[in-house]
Amino acid sequence: MSTLLLPNPCLLGIVFTIATHDGNHVVFHYPPKPKKVDINITPLDEDTESDSDEDIDDINSNLKEGDESEDGDDEDGDKLFSFDKGFIADLATPPKQLCNTRFELTVEDTVFLGMPIHINDDGTWRKTTKRRGTIDGHEDDEDEQEVDGEHQQKKSERKREKEVKKDKNLSGRMYQFHMMFVMDPPVVEYNHRIDEMFHYIISRISLLLRYEQQKNGYVWTECEKLLSNDENVTDPTSISSLARLIKDTYDNVIRSEIVNIEINGKTNSFQIPLRKEFPDLPHVPVPERSTLSSISPITNGGDSTLRYFSLILLDNVEDIIRDIRAERDSLIAGFVRMIRPNESLAKLSVLSGLDIAEVQLFATHLVYWRRAVAVLPLSPRNTYVISPLAPMNKIFTDADAFNKTFPNLPSLQTFLAIISDASSKKPKAIGHVIPTKDHRELYMEAISWLLRYGYIIQLCTFAYVKITSQIQMQVAEEMEIEFKKRDVKRVFKFNEEEEDVIILQPQYASSLERRWITKIVEGLPSEIVGLFYRILPHLNGKDPLEIVLLQEKMSRHEWKRLCDALQGVIIIVRHW
């Protein structure tokens, strides 16, 4: 499994700088004592002629001073990441033509990444634009369109004049600000790590700050607080919400958690999506509560199958509604209250009266923001086994929570032993361990709890088409006879010890494979032949029959009849 699927923010620190007519300034940085970076100096050739010798000398001077300092954290108040603060401030202040877009500078293994925001020529920070709606509410400048029409233009000009007057009072002399991230990504993961950091965190926070600066001068107001109290206040986060924003961003990003930012009473959330479902058994440490699934509609992008899945909420219903900032009587709040792990999204769509597309959108939103996980609807017919990724190091802690939630059930360890014993030889449906029908609801709630905490996984059913050597030999003989009738000399050599063949992609079968498949159902009742060809494209070992039977509207009884009629041809396997 690629390590790109695992969280690794590689973040060393965040530096916030501004540019004014008085010069460039480092307003705030976090952590207070960031880790030094190792810089190996390569002397410049003295004989090389350059028109910018003074600039090169300045850069070399900064690099040498940082290299000669002691190892460890930057304890010198004038140093940041082994550089002078003044050098960092200049580094983070590119020319105007390089602003409002991605800024990326690499010094050996250290990356300075950001999106510097520069004021416009008319004194505004944002263009007056007509915005196109997006799912997550964020978009780049490239996606914006100018407002057309003489009336709109005059209206925009009047509004701009007011904003310019207001901006002159609020922004002071600041004409650029930059929230710059300092990272040290592994070489083999360089592009992936900086791309995800810029796309999911840096660009969105920078655009949010630009919006707030345009609206009410938020950035300059907070920078004034930090600059005027730089020496008198030991904890800048106590006086500035901007400093708290940077601190919270750093703390949550390095823990791969959701960043919640509150500005002027409005909360915005950002995150680098965290993957906790894996199709293969990982060989490296994975996030807590991870699981194994090769059929996840979220991970695999299977929108066509999402309707057949259900959701397991990862928190209290009302807490989730509050956290996603939904109105108590809104559609999504009502949808969250209706969620049951034994009911598919298709069924919830019918019960709620919502369109299935809207239900799937709500479900994807909850999964993306780590409020729910998508699983196949819980049923006593399903087969569950202990997960290879089960958090056994937390079993004693989780045992207390399990016993408090289910006081009438055996302990967590005993309950897992019961499930494990039921699947020790040949995995059985969970219904075999439920004592009576009266216990069914309680046991299924416990199964939901175990899935939520990553202790068990579901085994799904997959099928292949096997072509026996006898079928291959019969087809070879028929083809030889056909060629003889057409006076075509062709010898078909067939070894009677030829092995059976599994067709991995029946929907893309070759002409020979299609003849084998036709031979399989030759002489069978038309009803069986119809069932076989209806489900044939899904007999590839990848499509779970739990979903296929629903898609093809085939009953379990019909599936059993087909399997009985084609014993030895349809091969059944179970895995996650």
Side-chain angles (χ1 to χ4, degrees):
M1 184 192 74
S2 173
T3 55
L4 297 179
L5 301 178
L6 302 177
N8 183 15
C10 321
L11 183 61
L12 298 178
I14 302 176
V15 181
F16 197 91
T17 66
I18 63 171
T20 67
H21 296 294
D22 295 334
N24 306 323
H25 309 275
V26 174
V27 179
F28 181 73
H29 63 85
Y30 196 86
K33 296 180 180 180
K35 180 182 177 182
K36 285 186 178 181
V37 296
D38 295 328
I39 304 297
N40 297 320
I41 306 303
T42 302
L44 295 174
D45 188 352
E46 296 180 356
D47 297 332
T48 303
E49 296 183 0
S50 174
D51 295 335
S52 56
D53 289 339
E54 294 182 0
D55 294 338
I56 294 175
D57 290 340
D58 291 340
I59 295 175
N60 278 331
S61 176
N62 279 283
L63 292 175
K64 289 179 180 177
E65 289 177 4
D67 187 59
E68 292 171 357
S69 59
E70 298 180 0
D71 294 336
D73 295 338
D74 282 333
E75 297 182 359
D76 189 349
D78 294 330
K79 295 287 185 181
L80 270 180
F81 305 103
S82 303
F83 299 105
D84 288 335
K85 280 188 176 180
F87 178 73
I88 291 291
D90 293 339
L91 179 76
T93 310
K96 180 181 177 181
Q97 58 268 28
L98 298 180
C99 293
N100 302 319
T101 188
R102 177 165 167 164
F103 172 89
E104 179 185 335
L105 177 65
T106 302
V107 181
E108 293 193 352
D109 296 332
T110 305
V111 182
F112 298 89
L113 186 67
M115 184 177 180
I117 303 298
H118 198 288
I119 197 169
N120 297 324
D121 293 335
D122 57 8
T124 61
W125 291 90
R126 297 175 67 245
K127 296 179 181 179
T128 304
T129 57
K130 181 179 179 180
R131 299 176 62 86
R132 294 184 298 179
T134 58
I135 293 177
D136 58 7
H138 300 282
E139 56 186 15
D140 286 339
D141 294 340
E142 296 176 355
D143 295 329
E144 297 179 345
Q145 294 180 337
E146 295 293 339
V147 179
D148 296 327
E150 183 178 355
H151 176 72
Q152 290 290 346
Q153 185 177 2
K154 292 181 179 179
K155 184 178 179 181
S156 299
E157 290 176 353
R158 290 194 298 267
K159 183 178 179 181
R160 185 179 302 167
E161 291 175 357
K162 294 180 181 179
E163 290 175 339
V164 170
K165 293 179 181 178
K166 181 179 180 181
D167 188 74
K168 287 181 179 179
N169 295 327
L170 292 175
S171 295
R173 300 179 303 275
M174 182 182 73
Y175 61 86
Q176 184 183 142
F177 64 85
H178 189 184
M179 185 172 175
M180 184 172 67
F181 285 48
V182 185
M183 304 171 61
D184 61 343
V187 176
V188 296
E189 302 178 6
Y190 179 93
N191 290 333
H192 177 77
R193 296 304 175 189
I194 63 175
D195 285 348
E196 68 177 6
M197 184 68 77
F198 181 82
H199 176 74
Y200 291 108
I201 304 295
I202 295 175
S203 63
R204 303 185 183 197
I205 294 181
S206 298
L207 293 177
L208 174 64
L209 292 176
R210 185 181 69 172
Y211 171 80
E212 293 296 335
Q213 172 62 23
Q214 170 73 12
K215 185 178 180 182
N216 49 39
Y218 170 79
V219 175
W220 173 245
T221 301
E222 295 300 315
C223 288
E224 279 190 313
K225 295 178 185 178
L226 292 168
L227 291 173
S228 61
N229 294 278
D230 186 39
E231 298 179 355
N232 301 326
V233 178
T234 57
D235 182 15
T237 61
S238 63
I239 63 169
S240 170
S241 62
L242 177 62
R244 289 193 296 274
L245 178 154
I246 295 172
K247 177 183 182 298
D248 292 343
T249 299
Y250 175 84
D251 290 340
N252 286 285
V253 167
I254 62 172
R255 294 195 298 264
S256 298
E257 296 179 354
I258 297 175
V259 180
N260 295 305
I261 294 176
E262 183 175 348
I263 300 178
N264 295 325
K266 184 178 179 180
T267 302
N268 294 271
S269 299
F270 310 93
Q271 66 158 331
I272 296 176
L274 181 64
R275 184 166 185 174
K276 300 181 73 173
E277 289 183 321
F278 303 95
D280 304 312
L281 190 63
H283 60 274
V284 292
V286 296
E288 292 184 359
R289 316 300 185 186
S290 293
T291 188
L292 295 169
S293 175
S294 63
I295 65 169
S296 171
I298 305 298
T299 304
N300 300 333
D303 293 338
S304 61
T305 63
L306 180 58
R307 64 177 61 201
Y308 303 110
F309 282 75
S310 64
L311 295 179
I312 294 180
L313 298 178
L314 301 180
D315 204 345
N316 179 270
V317 172
E318 297 303 323
D319 289 342
I320 291 176
I321 294 174
R322 183 188 67 250
D323 291 343
I324 63 177
R325 301 183 299 279
E327 297 292 336
R328 292 186 59 84
D329 298 329
S330 62
L331 289 177
I332 190 170
F335 169 75
V336 171
R337 294 188 183 98
M338 292 185 64
I339 290 176
R340 299 292 183 273
N342 62 332
E343 293 180 352
S344 66
L345 297 181
K347 187 174 182 181
L348 288 179
S349 174
V350 175
L351 295 175
S352 64
L354 297 173
D355 183 74
I356 185 61
E358 196 168 20
V359 168
Q360 291 184 164
L361 182 63
F362 288 161
T364 304
H365 179 82
L366 292 173
V367 173
Y368 178 83
W369 290 107
R370 312 181 194 180
R371 305 302 179 189
V373 293
V375 298
L376 290 176
L378 304 191
S379 170
R381 295 193 185 98
N382 294 345
T383 302
Y384 301 96
V385 296
I386 307 301
S387 172
L389 302 180
M392 292 303 178
N393 60 326
K394 294 181 175 294
I395 192 168
F396 294 107
T397 304
D398 291 339
D400 294 335
F402 184 84
N403 293 337
K404 290 179 181 178
T405 307
F406 307 102
N408 297 325
L409 287 179
S411 66
L412 175 60
Q413 296 89 328
T414 304
F415 197 77
L416 290 174
I418 293 173
I419 296 176
S420 179
D421 183 66
S423 59
S424 57
K425 296 181 180 179
K426 183 179 179 181
K428 299 179 181 178
I430 196 65
H432 286 83
V433 305
I434 301 177
T436 65
K437 290 184 178 181
D438 295 335
H439 291 81
R440 180 179 297 175
E441 183 176 353
L442 179 62
Y443 270 68
M444 296 315 297
E445 289 178 358
I447 292 297
S448 174
W449 192 95
L450 294 175
L451 286 169
R452 171 181 169 183
Y453 283 87
Y455 280 97
I456 62 175
I457 56 175
Q458 180 178 348
L459 293 186
C460 297
T461 309
F462 303 86
Y464 294 95
V465 174
K466 183 179 75 172
I467 308 299
T468 64
S469 57
Q470 291 81 3
I471 293 292
Q472 297 177 55
M473 183 171 61
Q474 292 175 18
V475 171
E477 291 174 351
E478 291 177 357
M479 294 178 67
E480 187 173 3
I481 294 173
E482 290 176 4
F483 278 100
K484 286 182 178 179
K485 289 181 179 180
R486 288 185 288 175
D487 294 330
V488 177
K489 294 183 179 180
R490 184 171 178 180
V491 179
F492 289 85
K493 295 182 179 180
F494 182 82
N495 187 355
E496 294 184 358
E497 298 180 357
E498 193 77 29
E499 295 182 352
D500 298 340
V501 175
I502 298 292
I503 298 181
L504 300 179
Q505 294 181 309
Q507 67 272 40
Y508 303 116
S510 64
S511 58
L512 178 59
E513 289 174 337
R514 288 197 294 269
R515 294 197 64 152
W516 291 342
I517 292 173
T518 303
K519 193 66 176 179
I520 287 174
V521 294
E522 189 178 78
L524 293 178
S526 59
E527 184 180 356
I528 297 297
V529 175
L531 292 174
F532 176 74
Y533 279 109
R534 196 199 319 177
I535 204 170
L536 177 62
H538 303 287
L539 303 182
N540 53 16
K542 296 180 180 179
D543 298 342
L545 291 176
E546 288 81 358
I547 293 178
V548 170
L549 297 182
L550 296 174
Q551 287 179 311
E552 300 299 332
K553 298 180 180 179
M554 182 181 294
S555 67
R556 292 178 179 271
H557 176 68
E558 290 176 324
W559 168 248
K560 187 176 184 304
R561 287 184 58 199
L562 180 61
C563 291
D564 291 341
L566 295 174
Q567 287 186 2
V569 174
I570 297 180
I571 306 301
I572 304 295
V573 296
R574 287 190 174 91
H575 62 79
W576 58 73

